[in-house]
């Protein structure tokens, strides 16, 4: 094997951008790149290690011996080491062996920009390319029409390792999922899939939230091109792809980013800012320009190279606050004496501006659980710039309410109505996510009170309420058919439950709710605007009934929603309406096809010129037990 030859992919402009934290396509320069130099094929390597005394590329090709293939440091104080090794081919495993200036410490690290990694527990990087013939041109040209904020956005959250396993209990591959998962999501009608982190991670119980290979799809399920096939097939089926993205922290694994070149390179050197006590992990130094460029380049990478349609940013609250999960004395206020992390705020604004200025028809979504203001407002008006934010308050209050026996619900209706006091302060997504079905919380179905029939009726009611409430939707896998047990990442979903009518009925309910959400513009066109919602009556606590109108751009297409939160059938229940004509029932969660009792409003209901609920007109309805009914004007 030839020795390292001098070579560079960097221009002076690249280096200036990198130092300024504004180079957002670093993956085109740093890492391992298969190239040809003077007619000779090989691999160009570049790694950022400013505290290094020497950097060697080691692998099977040189028996992992340090010093055999030494990279050269650039003259421009960028801290980048680089060089070309002739003959190194695709599939070669490698690492960087770094001797530090800080006391001669030697670290052996995976490539931060590796495109492919060995299957854990092996930890080496693999020389690879991203050549692929995409077939999703139609989706990419039209996805703005799928992803805009006035379009239906119903997300199926998936953990690839436990969605389904084969007969031997092994993972399905990306290629197998490209058939089975795609067909299932298309059948159930979700508009988007959100993958829990698929970037390479060493430890299965972390569910992927402790990353070491930020630029590599995990090899657990196949090769990078296999993951491209999965994304491609989803797009061809008209389904968008969202990735969980974790810029909040990373593990201390010896081959990872921590103490990379013998110094605190990626993590903040102050332990009060650079260590996360909850997850025993390291926190990025958001004030360091090169680190910001690394992270934003990573976001751009998945959107550009893998045609991803959105990024859901994990644990934003932990990034925003200096005192997050820290006791007094364990954190230091910012320069203004506050608890906000100013570097993080600046970084998140830069991240969102870079994403939205480079890609049309994508969304960024913040998992942010506090009252931090303007998370999903544009940066030019002072916001963080996200497209959406998870509505954690809605999730908590709604599940608290639904866990209560129906006899007590009349005392707690404010748990539900409260969400409308702040529903339009952000562009909210309603999440019933993986976090709600683990650690003893029970499954969503398992939280429902009553006997078996009531549990499933409550679950259908919950989902009907969710899909008619303003905001986009997210549902964790298994919840769509009423999985009974808590989620277990080490196994498969309990698909055998679908042989039972009540579970199949939940799946049918979700399928029809997805169709309803997509079909009726009033349920999505103004889902983030107060103009899209109007209460009819929120104060009928005694009967535990709520009624409201959802509105789109055309008032003739408004829909009326009535929720009955008890098992009492309410006949001749009157609600006020703003117009005359007729009402036609278009969804009823108590329909027998879903496993309900079949109490329906089957014929068109005549709206009377009889004032009620402060409106000029009204109509009498029959409210099925534990139900959501939806009506259109006709």
């Amino acid at each position: 094997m030839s020795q390292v030859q001098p070579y560079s992919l960097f221009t002076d402009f690249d280096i200036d951008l990198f130092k300024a934290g504004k180079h957002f396509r670093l993956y085109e320069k740093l890492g391992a790149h298969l190239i040809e130099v003077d007619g000779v094929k090989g691999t160009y390597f570049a790694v950022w290690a400013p505290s290094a005394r020497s950097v060697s590329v080691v692998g099977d090709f040189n028996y992992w011996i340090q010093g055999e293939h030494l990279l050269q440091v650039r003259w421009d104080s960028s801290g980048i080491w680089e060089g070309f090794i002739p003959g190194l081919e695709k599939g070669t495993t490698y690492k960087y062996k770094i001797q530090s200036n800080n006391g001669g410490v030697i670290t052996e690290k995976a490539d931060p920009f590796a495109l492919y990694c060995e299957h854990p527990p092996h930890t080496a990087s693999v020389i690879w390319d991203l050549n692929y013939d995409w077939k999703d041109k139609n989706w990419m040209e039209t996805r703005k029409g799928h992803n805009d904020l006035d379009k239906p956005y119903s997300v199926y959250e998936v953990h690839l390792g436990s969605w389904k396993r084969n007969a031997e209990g092994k993972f399905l591959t990306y290629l197998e999922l490209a058939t089975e998962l795609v067909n299932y999501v298309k059948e159930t009608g979700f508009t988007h899939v959100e993958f829990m982190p698929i970037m390479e991670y060493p430890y299965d119980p972390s569910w992927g939230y402790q990353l070491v290979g930020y630029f590599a799809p995990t090899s657990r399920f196949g090769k990078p091109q296999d993951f491209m096939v999965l994304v491609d097939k989803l797009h061809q089926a008209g389904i968008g792809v969202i990735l969980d993205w974790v810029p909040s922290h990373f593990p201390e694994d010896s081959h990872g980013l921590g103490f990379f070149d013998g110094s605190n390179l990626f993590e903040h050197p102050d332990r009060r800012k650079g260590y996360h006590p909850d997850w025993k992990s390291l926190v990025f130094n958001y004030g360091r320009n090169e680190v910001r460029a690394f992270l934003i380049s990573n976001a751009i990478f998945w959107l550009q190279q893998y045609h991803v349609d959105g990024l859901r940013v994990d644990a934003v609250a932990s990034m925003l606050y200096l005192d997050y999960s820290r006791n007094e004395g364990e954190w230091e206020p910012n320069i203004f004496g506050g608890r906000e992390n100013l570097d993080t705020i600046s970084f998140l604004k830069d991240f969102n501006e870079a994403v939205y200025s480079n890609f049309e028809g994508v969304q960024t979504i913040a998992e942010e659980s506090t009252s931090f203001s303007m998370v999903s407002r544009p940066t030019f008006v002072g916001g963080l710039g996200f497209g959406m934010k998870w509505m954690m308050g809605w999730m908590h209050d709604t599940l608290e309410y639904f866990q209560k026996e129906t006899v007590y619900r009349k005392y707690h209706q404010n748990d539900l109505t409260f969400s409308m006091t702040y529903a339009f302060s952000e562009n909210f997504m309603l999440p019933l996510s993986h976090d709600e079905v683990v650690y003893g919380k029970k499954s969503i179905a398992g939280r429902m009170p009553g006997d078996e029939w009531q549990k499933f009726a409550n679950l259908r009611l919950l989902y009907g309420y969710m899909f008619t409430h303003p905001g986009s939707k997210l549902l964790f896998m298994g919840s769509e058919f009423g999985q009974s047990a808590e989620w277990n990442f080490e196994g498969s979903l309990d698909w055998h439950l679908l042989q039972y009518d009540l579970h199949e009925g939940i799946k049918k309910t979700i399928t029809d709710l997805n169709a309803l959400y997509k079909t009726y513009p009033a349920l999505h066109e103004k889902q983030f605007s107060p103009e899209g919602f109007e209460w009819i009556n929120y104060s009928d606590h005694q009967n535990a009934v709520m009624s409201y109108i959802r509105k789109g751009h055309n008032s003739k297409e408004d829909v009326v929603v009535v929720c009955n939160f008890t098992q009492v059938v309410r006949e001749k229940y009157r609600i006020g309406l703003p117009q005359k004509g007729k009402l036609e029932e278009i969804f009823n969660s108590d329909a027998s096809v879903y496993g309900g009792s079949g109490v329906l409003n089957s014929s068109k209901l005549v709206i009377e010129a009889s004032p009620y609920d402060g409106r000029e007109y009204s109509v009498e309805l029959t409210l099925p037990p534990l139900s959501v009914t939806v009506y259109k004007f006709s």
Side-chain angles (χ1 to χ4, degrees), residues 424-478:
F424 305 109
S425 61
E426 300 275 4
N427 297 335
F428 279 121
M429 173 178 280
L430 312 182
L432 293 176
S433 72
H434 66 275
D435 282 324
E436 306 315 311
V437 294
V438 290
Y439 299 141
K441 293 180 181 178
K442 301 181 180 179
S443 66
I444 302 297
R447 296 187 189 201
M448 300 297 106
D451 59 24
E452 183 182 52
W453 188 90
Q454 290 177 7
K455 284 181 181 294
F456 282 86
N458 268 304
L459 191 58
R460 296 191 299 271
L461 169 56
L462 167 62
Y463 292 155
Y465 168 63
M466 174 185 183
F467 272 79
T468 57
H469 189 287
S472 52
K473 331 295 176 186
L474 178 139
L475 194 63
F476 183 57
M477 64 181 199

Side-chain angles (χ1 to χ4, degrees), residues 268 273 285-287 292 341-348:
H268 200 287
K273 295 180 180 179
N285 184 355
Y286 305 109
R292 293 161 73 103
N341 189 325
L342 303 180
D343 288 335
T344 292
I345 293 170
S346 170
F347 161 71
L348 290 174

Side-chain angles (χ1 to χ4, degrees), residues 411-426:
Y411 304 113
H412 299 278
Q413 193 144 315
N414 185 59
D415 288 354
L416 295 184
T417 59
F418 180 67
S419 67
M420 293 311 304
T421 65
Y422 64 95
F424 305 109
S425 61
E426 300 275 4

Side-chain angles (χ1 to χ4, degrees), residues 273 320-324 326 331-334 339-341:
K273 295 180 180 179
L320 287 173
Y321 293 102
L322 296 165
D323 63 344
Y324 187 91
R326 291 173 175 85
W331 63 282
E332 183 180 42
N334 62 37
R339 48 196 285 261
E340 296 81 14
N341 189 325

